[in-house]
Structure formats: structure tokens, C-alpha cells
Amino acid sequence: MMRGGNATIGTWLQFPSADVAEVMGASGYDWVAVDMEHGAFTRAILPDVFRAIERGGSTPFARIAQAELRPIKDALDSGAQGLVFPMIESREQLDRAISLSLYPDAGGSRGVGYSRANMYGRDFDPYRVDVAKDILLVAQIEHIRAVDQLDAILSHRLDAIMVGPYDLSGSMGLTGQFDHPDFVAVMARINEACKRHNMPMGNHVVQPEPERLAKCIADGYRFIAYGIDAVFLLHGCACPKR
């Protein structure tokens, strides 16, 4: 959907549970991102979680802990079909992350071997030809330093960027002050750069509020994370006032 210009809506997982992943994957989202940065996921559980997401018809993403070799390899070999790179601040950092995500025949340096992603070699060529070269790649813009490098970052092979509003506002000394004029101006600057580069811009609607999601879509966001498994649970299990 995103590559066709339409909004794509996903959600976020922090609980290391294949059962929760299965429920979220079957809830109608285009993609479900496993949060390897702030969640408690181990390498061993990733294949089960990705399988559970796929079972419901959603695309399994991973927001890796850092844009480095080990987490990228772990996520892709376990079956992630999309990666979210956190804290991208420069073109050089993004160059390395993307290189580590693509096989050499697609211009990268990803290690080639049998894994769950290619059914341990049975589907090696179909995976390499039809899936691996089209891994969806998203860079998170989470620091004011990245805003000064936007043109270089956005001119790379990316499918979208995603603003991390809490980290970005924090780097400006305005943590959580999303209505502050300086933060609003930076968001407008990012939006203008995305339009220049025809790059889908993303955001995270942390609190599951449908009206905020509708506003994001109306404002032109095209890669939107809606809620988090823990936040959904907190909303759903809150004890009614007596």
C-alpha cells in the first residue's frame, strides 16, 4: 500500500509473546512491528512471533535495537519483512544499515546463509529473488541533528521515514511538548523535506485514539503506527470507577 501512495497502518509489540502477536496480527493491521529496542524479545522467540503475525495476514516488521550487524541479522534471518532503524542521524549511518540489510546481489553486504526466512535453504532462491531485495526499510528521525541531514537521508533507498516524537522533542529540550511552536516548526520542516523527495512520512499514534489516527491520515502521514500492545491492555483492563 505504502509504495502505491496510500496510508499504511500498523501497530507495535513489546510483549515477547507469540499469543499476543497472533492476536495483533489478526486484528486488521497492514503490519505489526516487534519492538526489539524497548521490548523484551530474545533471538530465540523471534521466529515464533513473526510466524504468529504472518498467520493473521499482517506483515512482520522489526524495530531493531540499533542499526548494527547483529540485530539486523537476527531480525531478517528470523523472518522480518520490514525493518525500522532507530536513531538515524546521518547518511553514513543509514548507508551502513541498508548495506547490512541487503544481500550482495542487491548491492548490500548481508550475510548469505540458510535460516528460517528461507525455510532453512528449501526456499533459498525464491526468498533471495522475490523477498530479500524488497525488504521494507524505514528510518526513524528522532534527534534534531537528523533534521539537518534530511536531504541526504531521504535521497537513499528508503520506503518511509518515521518521526519518533518523544525522542525528537527530547533532543530539543521539549520532551512531550508537541504543541510547542519550535517542535511544530521542526515537524513542518520534516514534512516539507519528505514532499520534496516524495518520501512517505510516518508517525506513531501512541494512545489508541481513532480521531488522532484520522487526523494523521488527513495530514498526509503514510506510515502510521497505532497503539502498542501494552497500551491497548492498559486501556482495556482499567478497573471502572466505583
Side-chain angles (χ1 to χ4, degrees):
M1 293 180 66
M2 186 168 56
R3 284 173 172 167
N6 297 315
T8 177
I9 301 169
T11 191
W12 224 246
L13 282 181
Q14 289 191 316
F15 293 145
S17 165
D19 292 330
V20 173
E22 186 173 14
V23 170
M24 298 289 270
S27 296
Y29 294 100
D30 299 313
W31 48 271
V32 178
V34 171
D35 187 359
M36 296 169 62
E37 182 180 19
H38 297 298
F41 295 90
T42 64
R43 171 68 175 83
I45 200 174
L46 289 178
D48 285 340
V49 170
F50 291 145
R51 266 191 291 267
I53 292 169
E54 289 179 283
R55 186 178 185 278
S58 296
T59 299
F61 268 72
R63 197 261 292 273
I64 57 176
Q66 56 189 137
E68 295 293 341
L69 173 64
R70 185 75 262 167
I72 290 174
K73 183 188 292 286
D74 288 350
L76 292 177
D77 284 353
S78 296
Q81 296 174 29
L83 294 178
V84 180
F85 302 127
M87 290 290 183
I88 294 298
E89 297 182 12
S90 69
R91 174 60 183 260
E92 292 75 20
Q93 184 187 12
L94 184 60
D95 284 345
R96 173 171 165 76
I98 291 179
S99 177
L100 292 170
S101 304
L102 300 175
Y103 283 140
D105 56 5
S109 59
R110 177 183 171 187
V112 182
Y114 290 176
S115 66
R116 184 257 159 178
N118 55 51
M119 193 46 66
Y120 305 99
R122 189 196 71 181
D123 300 331
F124 183 79
D125 283 335
Y127 173 78
R128 180 180 60 83
V129 173
D130 299 326
V131 179
K133 65 181 177 60
D134 287 326
I135 295 293
L136 293 159
L137 302 176
V138 178
Q140 283 197 282
I141 304 301
E142 301 184 274
H143 200 285
I144 192 63
R145 287 192 296 264
V147 178
D148 295 328
Q149 302 294 321
L150 272 179
D151 283 321
I153 290 170
L154 297 179
S155 63
H156 208 319
R157 183 262 197 235
L158 279 175
D159 293 286
I161 66 160
M162 185 176 185
V163 174
Y166 283 97
D167 281 311
L168 179 59
S169 61
S171 75
M172 300 170 64
L174 301 169
T175 303
Q177 299 181 48
F178 303 139
D179 294 327
H180 192 284
D182 291 347
F183 184 80
V184 172
V186 165
M187 290 294 288
R189 184 177 169 190
I190 296 171
N191 188 31
E192 290 167 3
C194 286
K195 288 179 179 177
R196 285 199 307 274
H197 291 271
N198 194 29
M199 179 69 65
M201 183 174 173
N203 206 342
H204 191 174
V205 180
V206 176
Q207 297 298 324
E209 300 168 353
E211 62 276 9
R212 289 190 61 201
L213 175 61
K215 186 177 187 305
C216 268
I217 295 172
D219 288 345
Y221 289 100
R222 292 294 175 261
F223 183 78
I224 305 167
Y226 183 69
I228 305 172
D229 53 359
V231 175
F232 285 124
L233 181 61
L234 285 168
H235 278 260
C237 70
C239 180
K241 292 182 179 179
R242 289 175 288 183

